[in-house]
Amino acid sequence: MISPPLEQPVLPTGTDRLLAGGRLTIDLDTLVDNWKALNARSRPGRAAAVVKADAYGCGIAQVVPALFAAGCDSFFVALPEEGLRVRDVAPRARIFVLNGLFDDAAPAFTDADLIPVLGSDHEIATWAKHGRRKPCAIHVDTGMNRLGLTPDEAIAFAENAKSVRPVLLMSHLACGDTPESGMNRQQLSIFQKVRAAFGEIESSLANSAGIFLGADYLFDLTRPGIALYGGEVVSGAANPMKPVVTAETRIVQIRHAVKGETAGYGAAMTLARDTRIAVCSTGYADGYLRSASGSGVPLRTTVTEGAHGFIAGRRVPVIGRITMDLTSFDVTDVPEDAIKAGDHIELFGPNIALDDVARAAGTIGYELLTGLGRRYHRRYIGAEIL
Ligand SMILES: *Cc1c(COP(=O)(O)O)cnc(C)c1O
C-alpha cells in the first residue's frame, strides 16, 4: 500500500524543509485518536499521558496542547525541566515529575506547580520542607527495584501523621509487555495491599501495556506513553494503535553497481546481482541506528535481516552499513522511472512498522523514537487548534 499524500495543513518546525536530509511527519489527530482509545480502555479510570523525553521525540510543545484540548488533564514527565515545558503550553494541567526530587530543584516545582513523585523518605522530607501542603505523589516499588518506597515504607508512611499531602499513589510494572509473566499479578497484589493503607487518594499502576492486562490493573489513572505514539504495546502481538510518526529520508543519488562489487564501509556487502542503490541523506546521527544495517554489524550474525525502507509501493532493504549521514537501500526491484533523486523513502510510518525497524536494530520502538535527532525537518498535521 502506498501511503496517501498528506493534504492537511502542516505546521513546520525545526530544520528547513529544503535544507534537511530527512523529514518527520507527526500526525496529531492520530495521536489524539490513540489517546481517546486508551482513555476509553481505562474506564472506569482515565488516561493521563506520558510526555517525557520531549513526548517520545514527538515534541512537547505540539503534543501536550493537542492532548489537553482532547480532554487529557494529567501529564507525566521524567524531569522538572520537561515539566516546565509542559507548564508553558498547558497552564491548567496536572504535571507529575517522575524522576525524584532534589533539594535544589524544589523551588522550581513549587513555582510552576509541578507535582513531584516522591520515592524515598529523604524526598518526602525535602517536600515537607519546601512544598509544605502542595500536592505530591508517592511512588511505591512493587518489584522492579527502580524508584519508589518499599511496600513496608509506604504503608508506614500512610499510617503515620503525614508531613506531605499525596494526591496519587503509583507504582510501575516491570513486565507489562509480557502478559503471561507471573510478575504482573505479584506486583498487582502488592500494590492493592499498599493502596488499602492509603485510603481514598487516586492510584495508578498501568503504563501502555498495563492497560491491556485487564480491568484489575486500571485503577483511577493510567499512564500510557509508547502506545500514544503508535508503538507496539505487547511484544510480538498485533499492534492495536495507529502510527503517529512517519520518518522519511531523501534520496541523494541513485547509482548502478555491478554484481560482485561491494557497497559501503568495510566492504561489508557483496552484491549478489547488478544493483540499483539509492543513497539517502540520513544516518545514525539522525538516530537511524547503525545496528539496523543490512550487513557488516555484529547483530547480523544473529538476526539475518536489516531494516527496510518503503518507496513506490515496495519494501526496499538497507544494504551495507548505515553511516553517520547516509544510508543505502537496494531499489533494484523498484521500476526505474518510479523514483529519482530528491524523492523520499519511508524509514518507518504507515508502511514500515516502527517496531520492525527497532527489531532489526536489536532494540525497541521507544529507543528509536526518542533518538531521532535534530536534523529532520519536522512537520505537524492535524489538531487544527494549533
Ligand atoms: C515511561 C513510563 C511510563 C510510560 O510507559 P510506556 O511503556 O511508554 O507506556 C509510565 N510510567 C512510568 C513510571 C514510566 O517511567
Side-chain angles (χ1 to χ4, degrees), residues 64-65 68 73 75 84-95 112-113:
V64 168
F68 191 82
D73 64 359
F75 295 87
L84 296 182
R85 288 196 287 133
V86 174
R87 179 58 75 219
D88 274 349
V89 293
R92 290 177 295 121
R94 283 204 306 176
I95 304 168
D113 282 330

Side-chain angles (χ1 to χ4, degrees), residues 222-365:
T222 61
R223 305 188 308 272
I226 194 69
L228 293 172
Y229 311 101
E232 205 170 88
V233 182
V234 175
S235 330
N239 185 350
M241 310 316 296
K242 291 188 264 173
V244 168
V245 183
T246 302
E248 294 166 294
T249 182
R250 203 161 191 204
I251 301 174
V252 181
Q253 189 180 115
I254 298 173
R255 48 192 314 124
H256 296 256
V258 174
K259 180 178 172 180
E261 291 177 351
T262 61
Y265 279 128
M269 170 87 186
T270 302
L271 302 173
R273 58 175 180 174
D274 291 355
T275 305
R276 273 173 38 249
I277 303 174
V279 185
C280 298
S281 201
T282 52
Y284 61 73
D286 303 290
Y288 196 61
L289 298 165
R290 184 174 178 275
S291 51
S293 295
S295 54
V297 292
L299 191 60
R300 288 290 84 76
T301 58
T302 48
V303 185
T304 50
E305 283 231 302
H308 287 74
F310 188 89
I311 190 166
R314 284 173 206 261
R315 288 163 59 86
V316 292
V318 172
I319 59 174
R321 285 184 182 150
I322 293 168
T323 72
M324 185 186 295
D325 316 295
L326 295 164
T327 301
S328 293
F329 293 87
D330 180 345
V331 294
T332 313
D333 296 332
V334 181
E336 197 148 1
D337 58 0
I339 58 169
K340 58 182 186 311
D343 289 351
H344 285 86
I345 294 184
E346 179 183 317
L347 298 174
F348 59 81
N351 302 292
I352 300 284
L354 165 73
D355 290 278
D356 285 346
V357 180
R359 262 186 290 277
T363 184
I364 52 178

Side-chain angles (χ1 to χ4, degrees), residues 50 52 56 76 98 139 146 170-172 206-209 223-227 366:
V50 179
K52 59 198 185 188
Y56 290 48
F76 286 82
L98 291 165
H139 195 159
R146 197 171 66 166
M170 61 161 274
S171 188
H172 192 46
N207 63 340
S208 298
R223 305 188 308 272
I226 194 69
Y366 300 71

Side-chain angles (χ1 to χ4, degrees), residues 140 154-155 158 169 188-204 216 219-220:
V140 55
I155 290 169
L169 174 71
L188 174 64
S189 98
I190 295 170
F191 189 65
Q192 282 164 332
K193 198 167 125 207
V194 175
R195 183 173 176 254
F198 270 76
E200 285 308 293
I201 68 168
E202 273 190 278
S203 51
S204 172
D216 290 353
F219 295 96
D220 303 298

